[in-house]
Amino acid sequence: MRDGYEAGGGDEREEGAPVQERTFPALPPAPGRGFATSWWGKAWLRALEETALDARQLKEGRRVAREGRVGAVSVRPGRITAVVGARDGSTYRSDVLLQELDEREWDRFLDMAAERAGHIAALLDREMPAHLIEDAAAAGIDLRPGMGDLEPECTCGAWDHCPHTAALCYQVARLLDQDPFVLLLMRGRGERRLLAELQERIAAPAGEREVGAGGEEPAAVREVSGVPAAQAYAQGGILPALPAPPGLPDEPGAAPSLDTETDPEPGVDPSALEMLARDAAARAHRMLADALAPDHGLRPVADALTVRQDAVRLAAEARPEPWIVNRLASGSGRPRAGFPAAVAAWRFGGAAALAVLDEDRTPEGAELARARARLAQAWEEDEAPRLRAERNRWTSADGGLQLRYGPDGRWYPYRKENGQWFPAGPSDDDPAAAWAEARGD
């Protein structure tokens, strides 16, 4: 039942006031998952774990809840109830009690929420932001349960939290993940009543507010000034045009300095963070320049980089200190001796050139035929270098120079240095120009 109201009931409040109650069907088993992922659910379990005296009972309660042996959960102001089953087939009624807020505390909470536009918008959208807790605490209202606030009652006769009340609490943490308004109902206000009272405070002029139970005047809601939407829309034709967007800065902004007197947390290196900040600024500058280019909308979207690729990119573009280069080499999954060749490939041609360095591929028949035709056309017959073909690689007779044919149809020059093939320059559509790069001409 969604924030329903039932006449009668065992709780005595104001005379004639209905009892608010919500009943949630039994949740399925939850093998291998945590019982709280939201801020609210975690705060609830923290209160449980700080209250219980026997950790073994909590562990057994988690197991009971994981196995799906907690029945439908009834939530009322000040109390949650469920029937919990044991492995031997017996069942127990388990209750957990939580202190309700009194009327004066609810008045302070609603006045606090009504004074802040962000809280009003969030609550009316059925959201419960965590910072609402902080503002409520500043007003003297603690919504989240604290140590000792969760009082257990169970027909099994245990005086402390037993596996049955613990299982109920773990199940309620899952409910709070789905709807944190459940906690407000336990504190004494259902969602419907809470939102109705909040809207009354928003709508009522300051002079018409009721005086609180203690004689104090509740905080007034600021009046909102404005014009009808039709009038504002009609003025659009006479308003001045928006200013032109700012132009591209000449260079990226300066990265912040992290050289302070405060020692960093263990494992955090300020120089590495400064490098990442500089790199982020440089990338943002390039992305803005690309977005402002006339043909930006016609360009294909680049593929996202893998962690291995991005480690090489950082070493190539950010030019970090040597010890950071060693960490990037490890993160790239490459041997330290082969990392400089990867960095050089990136500087010459980015991800495409890095792929040509890594891949030893065999072109398909038509692609291979096009490559051979372009090689034959690149030189006069008596000027062509003697090349030995192997898959997509053409190597000089002396084994010192090489051309690699990339999947983009371009030629990538390579030179052997200390027994390792090393990118020798940028790629080119013309194999003769790429060969000149490899020779260093």
Side-chain angles (χ1 to χ4, degrees):
M1 181 168 56
R2 172 112 184 122
D3 204 13
Y5 291 81
E6 296 180 356
D11 288 2
E12 295 186 4
R13 312 199 192 295
E14 299 176 11
E15 185 176 354
V19 175
Q20 307 169 79
E21 183 173 356
R22 290 178 64 182
T23 300
F24 298 86
L27 294 175
R33 57 152 283 171
F35 277 95
T37 58
S38 68
W39 187 94
W40 298 92
K42 291 177 181 177
W44 173 265
L45 289 187
R46 194 159 47 245
L48 168 67
E49 290 162 358
E50 290 173 348
T51 298
L53 299 178
D54 191 343
R56 292 175 301 175
Q57 303 282 39
L58 293 186
K59 184 177 180 180
E60 176 66 13
R62 281 196 301 271
R63 185 173 62 80
V64 170
R66 286 193 191 283
E67 294 174 356
R69 290 195 270 121
V70 179
V73 178
S74 172
V75 182
R76 312 173 67 182
R79 181 183 295 268
I80 56 175
T81 305
V83 174
V84 181
R87 281 190 163 183
D88 61 3
S90 58
T91 58
Y92 302 92
R93 169 177 165 147
S94 299
D95 294 77
V96 175
L97 281 59
L98 178 64
Q99 182 67 41
E100 297 180 53
L101 302 182
D102 61 30
E103 292 298 322
R104 293 179 61 179
E105 289 173 319
W106 276 116
D107 283 338
R108 289 204 304 273
F109 174 80
L110 290 165
D111 289 338
M112 176 277 301
E115 286 181 340
R116 293 162 173 79
H119 293 338
I120 294 173
L123 289 169
L124 294 181
D125 284 342
R126 297 193 64 257
E127 296 177 359
M128 288 274 288
H131 59 80
L132 179 66
I133 285 287
E134 300 172 0
D135 290 344
I141 308 105
D142 198 356
L143 292 175
R144 59 187 169 187
M147 184 173 64
D149 284 352
L150 303 180
E151 182 180 344
E153 291 182 356
C154 187
T155 56
C156 75
W159 62 272
D160 186 30
H161 275 288
C162 61
H164 317 110
T165 59
L168 172 58
C169 287
Y170 280 109
Q171 206 76 317
V172 168
R174 295 174 68 183
L175 298 180
L176 289 172
D177 280 350
Q178 301 171 13
D179 187 355
F181 276 87
V182 170
L183 178 59
L184 295 187
L185 176 56
M186 283 187 270
R187 285 298 197 185
R189 284 290 190 278
E191 176 186 334
R192 189 181 303 169
R193 179 179 176 185
L194 176 76
L195 297 182
E197 293 181 354
L198 178 63
Q199 289 173 324
E200 288 176 4
R201 276 170 164 74
I202 298 170
E208 298 179 8
R209 294 291 180 79
E210 295 182 0
V211 176
E216 71 276 8
E217 180 72 23
V221 177
R222 299 180 181 88
E223 293 187 6
V224 179
S225 61
V227 297
Q231 179 182 343
Y233 183 79
Q235 293 176 345
I238 62 175
L239 294 175
L242 293 174
L248 179 70
D250 294 335
E251 57 187 18
S257 173
L258 301 179
D259 184 14
T260 66
E261 296 181 359
T262 303
D263 293 333
E265 293 291 326
V268 176
D269 189 278
S271 59
L273 288 178
E274 288 178 354
M275 180 214 55
L276 291 174
R278 289 193 301 271
D279 175 70
R283 294 184 70 191
H285 188 266
R286 287 197 302 271
M287 292 171 67
L288 180 59
D290 183 62
L292 295 176
D295 59 345
H296 171 70
L298 303 177
R299 300 179 186 175
V301 178
D303 294 334
L305 299 181
T306 66
V307 172
R308 290 168 56 92
Q309 290 172 322
D310 203 45
V312 176
R313 182 198 65 79
L314 276 169
E317 296 179 359
R319 300 183 184 273
E321 298 177 18
W323 72 269
I324 299 179
V325 173
N326 291 335
R327 291 184 62 181
L328 291 172
S330 176
S332 73
R334 300 172 183 273
R336 182 67 183 89
F339 196 61
V343 171
W346 188 277
R347 287 175 180 163
F348 286 133
L354 186 62
V356 171
L357 170 71
D358 292 338
E359 297 171 1
D360 184 6
R361 66 188 190 91
T362 300
E364 296 182 359
E367 183 186 11
L368 183 60
R370 285 195 298 270
R372 291 185 182 279
R374 294 178 70 178
L375 279 171
Q377 295 169 1
W379 293 277
E380 296 294 336
E381 186 175 348
D382 57 346
E383 297 177 351
R386 294 176 57 195
L387 300 176
R388 182 180 69 257
E390 185 178 2
R391 293 181 292 278
N392 68 321
R393 303 178 180 187
W394 278 262
T395 308
S396 62
D398 63 3
L401 303 178
Q402 189 178 84
L403 291 179
R404 298 188 181 185
Y405 188 65
D408 53 0
R410 296 176 67 83
W411 299 89
Y412 291 78
Y414 274 74
R415 184 183 305 121
K416 183 168 284 189
E417 299 179 4
N418 299 322
Q420 178 184 359
W421 287 111
F422 209 86
S427 64
D428 203 293
D429 285 328
D430 181 3
W435 187 256
E437 285 280 359
R439 294 180 55 183
D441 293 344

